[in-house]
Amino acid sequence: MSSGVASGTKPQIITEHVIEIISDSGEGAQTCGQMFADLCARNGNGIWTVEIIPAEIQPPARSRAGASGYRIRLGSKPLTNAGDYADLVIAFNEQVLYSRLDSKALHGGTLLFVDKSWAENPDPGIRRKYNEAVNEFRERGLVVTEVPIEQECRKFTDDPRKGKNMWVLGMLCATYDFDPSAVGAEIAKRFARKGEASVKQNQALFTDGYDWALENVALRFHVPPHESTTPMVVMNGNQALALGVMAAGIEVCSMYPITPATSASHFLASTIEQTGGIVHQAEDEIAAIGFAIGCSYAGKTAVTITSGPGLALKTEFLGYAVMAEVPLVIVVVQRGGPSTGLPTKIEQGDLFAALYASPGDVPKIVIAPATIEECFHFMITARKLAEDFRGPVMVLSDANLATGQKPFPRPELRESWLAPPVDQSPWNPEVPPFAWDKETGLSRRPIPGQRGGEYVITGLAHDEESHVAYDSQINQRSMEMRSRKLAVLRSALKPPKVYGDNTGDLLVVGWGSTLGAIEEAVDRLRAEGLKVSSVHLRFLSPMEPGLKEIFGRFHKVMTIEINYSDDVGQPYITEDSRRYSQLAQLLRAQTLVDIDCWSRVPGSPLPPGVIEEQLRQRLTRRES
Amino acid sequence: MYGLKKEWEIEAPARECTLEDYVGAEARWCPGCGDHAVLSTVQRLARDLQLPPEKTVVVSGIGCSSRFPHYMKTYGFHGLHGRALPVAEGVRSRRPDLDIFVVTGDGDCCAIGAGHWIHGIRYNMDLTILLLDNNVYGLTKNQTSPTSRVGEKSNTQPHGSFFAPLNPISVVLGIANASFVAQTVDWNPPHLYATIRAAHEHKGASFVRVLQRCPHFSSHVFAPVQEDFSQMLLMESERGVKLAEPIRGMFPRTLEHDPRDLSKARELADRTDVYPIGVFYKNDNASRYDTVTQQGLEITRAEKMAAINGMLDRFAVQGRN
């Protein structure tokens, strides 16, 4: 594909930019964003992406809350979060921008390119709304450029709704000084299913967008890529965890559709056959975990992937897996709660549910990846822990990791990651099915097919022989044994690394997908000379050791989380009545340190600038 | 074997399993409970077929009948209330080598587990499913069950059950892909044995409803039937169950029924004047989900590694295209 137009204005060299492509649902802004992000990553740039998703498949067109799109933070260096305000936005209509303004994704100075075809719409209401909005955006300081997206697209298609995205992709390529020559092949791949005519049409749209931008866009940018010597891969967190499932040798993913977890299962459904595995779509969430437990019991440790409401339904079986010590991996891709909550949005609200949502005492391993790369590697860890510690391992991801894309070093697969073949050798009948080691509580399990190991697994209280036992001493002992395993695992963990100095005024504690934003906020404050550090927990049950000692080296400790907590000063809310965020409550209970917290539930990632502001306030409060 | 010539291989003596090899803990059901008859029938069947105990798994839910696995000396899974089927499906999914029995009750299967029941029948995985139906919740002490007759008094409906009872056979015959549906009674061991044996032989989800007595709470329901065999209709077929004399002669009412005939099966299931026993329906051509879930078991570790590496290539940033 070649462009016949002159080279355009000279691009400015910059180190990073945050770009958003916003449209009505169904106009393909996400496809455009993904393809552009892919192009950036393959160019060697750092990226972090966020999907902007309405809860409905197709909300009414031009509705304020219907924004669908993609945010790409593009940089020279590797990036760890989605950044603060957008520097450049391309909008297919003006109404969808309101929700972006409301969520503070845009600000004065943001370069806004908006489709101006609405100004000539036959409907006077639409024309008026368009003009009002554009004036308002200008008043709010946005730098608005009106772009004839639809008119240009009409040169190639009668249905510009289906063509705008490739035209805008061309525009982005020109604006960010990318070589358009490789994009034609990508478009061909993407649209191959729709036939040759569609491929040609989309390639033509792309070229036209590219040429238009070269001629008409006043400001162009160049973000130099960084040199990387290690081979890299780029994918989102759900893809990473699906690949991790296979690399761990897990053969069965048993699931029920639930946003935002399902895309991991979609990926597995299209690939796991190649590794000899299956995806079982069960009739409900309960059956999904029951099937996985049956599979694990028969020797093939399985995974079930869900989100908050699904976790709620699975809790009885989760308790069973703890009680009967069945290895199992449960992935919870958290979304906004409680109840049905915010299905497509980001929250870290299921920590307590993961830890406690089951009757009785249910000690289990809970881990939380903090990066997309960890989404891959934690699956291998999770399967191994499930088998070694004979019980369920919960992996808490969230919607931010699930849909965000970021490059990371290509994993070097090891055969030892794969589950071993099912042991079918004879079992010594002298060894009971729960031969709990007196010290550690650990035991090996017989697997159906092992002669001499026949036993009946049960969720009732049981003794070492797995015989139903209501005896009080046996109950006390078996509870001890199941709990002991967590202490044993904890003894093998290392204290978390402190990011920044080992002592200081403020220590921030986080978990999950907030890692990058917290560390960027810490970096900015430290650059100003403020004494802030952070630690990020991956193990939430058992907790990593040494926390109390680390906390003792800072004047103040606080958590930053994306879940709900009360703010002191609101009506009725005092230091005494205040409900803390989930990790803060846990840490307070574990360490008896007076840990503060700041948490919000915006449904979106916390930008580093917002965290920076909160940390700054906490620091000044200390000084005053 | 290493170091030995092939002709020197020592053959292990064939194992002969006796009934004792299948008898687990002493059954703690009430004397006179129909569960005892089903248990000894399954033990006898296992012995007769010489099922290796280590390759036999009995999965159950919660309820009186769900204590069943504890009384077998095979592998067993005593699970959660209503959830036996998903567990059994999971066990079956990657283990074609196991013999799997599912034991459930009318509360476990038809009330709390009804969703799994419908889909379990539709999945048609190779499982022998025994519904031990005594028309009442026994373990929790006399509550109305979905199969309780109208007017039956219980601790939760002291004025009598409100609703027409659910007919498990009619329900199953209405589920797409059902492949084996039979009914038998706990008080006729030869018929019980022949029916469970036919169910076990069938490849697919074999559903057997066992009408049975609860001596404590519902003995009056089936006592008249036990005493008067004319209240049963013996369905006979070479393709289903065929009793030999003199047992056959105990049944005054018999009917030759071809279990391939679904509409006739439904008609028989709906009869209220008599309890038809035998095989209502059998379809050897229904698609089996376990043939799908067992795909790929032969894939080697090297092949897995190669496949995952190939997938990672699709995400490679450098050297792509």
Side-chain angles (χ1 to χ4, degrees), chain A residues 38 41 232-234 251 276 280 283 297-298 320 410 415 419 424 447-451 454-455 457-458, chain B residues 15 54 67 69 75-78 80 83 86 90-91 94-95 116 123 289 301 304 309 313 315 317 320-321:
Chain A
D38 215 45
M232 304 287 276
V233 285
V234 63
E251 288 175 19
H280 169 59
E283 62 271 21
Y297 165 76
Y320 187 97
R410 182 192 166 112
E415 205 191 310
Q424 294 287 275
I447 290 169
Q450 285 193 284
R451 192 170 165 181
E454 297 84 356
Y455 78 114
I457 194 168
T458 179
Chain B
R15 177 166 47 145
E54 72 276 13
R67 289 297 182 97
Y75 278 91
F77 193 111
H78 181 204
L80 294 179
R83 320 295 175 205
V91 174
R94 305 292 282 176
R95 293 297 301 266
H116 309 310
Y123 298 152
Y289 185 41
R301 296 164 78 80
K304 287 184 189 187
N309 267 317
D313 287 341
F315 294 97
V317 172
R320 191 157 108 169
N321 300 320

Side-chain angles (χ1 to χ4, degrees), chain B residues 193-209:
Chain B
Y193 180 93
T195 308
I196 296 178
R197 183 164 182 144
H200 181 267
E201 257 166 41
H202 175 74
K203 294 292 168 207
S206 314
F207 179 82
V208 180
R209 180 192 187 202

Side-chain angles (χ1 to χ4, degrees), chain B residues 99-246:
Chain B
D99 263 286
I100 307 173
F101 292 86
V102 179
V103 182
T104 179
D106 39 314
D108 199 55
C109 176
C110 311
I112 192 170
H116 309 310
W117 177 32
I118 288 170
H119 293 279
I121 296 298
R122 194 167 68 99
Y123 298 152
N124 192 31
M125 297 171 97
D126 191 17
L127 304 169
T128 305
I129 305 165
L130 308 177
L131 166 62
L132 277 48
D133 186 355
N134 57 10
N135 287 208
V136 75
Y137 284 69
L139 191 67
T140 47
K141 312 277 184 287
N142 194 24
Q143 293 86 23
T144 304
S145 119
T147 59
S148 300
R149 296 183 303 195
V150 175
E152 286 295 334
K153 291 181 175 150
S154 78
N155 285 330
T156 43
Q157 297 188 0
H159 305 298
S161 174
F162 312 131
F163 310 114
L166 181 148
N167 177 341
I169 298 291
S170 302
V171 170
V172 173
L173 287 171
I175 300 170
N177 213 38
S179 77
F180 184 101
V181 186
Q183 182 157 271
T184 183
V185 295
D186 82 71
W187 56 85
N188 192 279
H191 193 269
L192 182 63
Y193 180 93
T195 308
I196 296 178
R197 183 164 182 144
H200 181 267
E201 257 166 41
H202 175 74
K203 294 292 168 207
S206 314
F207 179 82
V208 180
R209 180 192 187 202
V210 184
L211 302 178
Q212 69 172 57
R213 300 153 297 167
C214 170
H216 258 278
F217 302 120
S218 69
S219 60
H220 60 284
V221 174
F222 292 122
V225 191
Q226 190 190 352
E227 281 152 25
D228 172 13
F229 272 38
S230 73
Q231 295 193 27
M232 291 179 278
L233 174 63
L234 185 69
M235 298 183 292
E236 296 181 294
S237 167
E238 286 302 333
R239 296 174 186 280
V241 168
K242 194 128 199 175
L243 291 181
E245 297 295 349

Side-chain angles (χ1 to χ4, degrees), chain A residues 55-56 259 307-309 335-347 350 603:
Chain A
E56 298 82 12
T259 304
S307 188
R335 65 190 217 182
S339 189
T340 312
L342 303 169
T344 60
K345 308 284 188 183
I346 292 157
E347 198 176 298
D350 297 339

Side-chain angles (χ1 to χ4, degrees), chain A residues 13 120 128 143 155 167 181 196 199 208 259-260 292 305 333 368 377 383 461 508 534 547 549 588-589:
Chain A
I13 308 281
E120 286 126 44
R128 176 176 49 76
V143 183
K155 298 199 298 205
W167 194 89
S181 59
E196 183 59 21
V199 169
D208 191 69
T259 304
I305 305 179
V333 183
H377 290 283
R383 185 195 57 77
V508 185
S534 63
L547 294 177
E549 193 268 325
R588 289 170 70 86

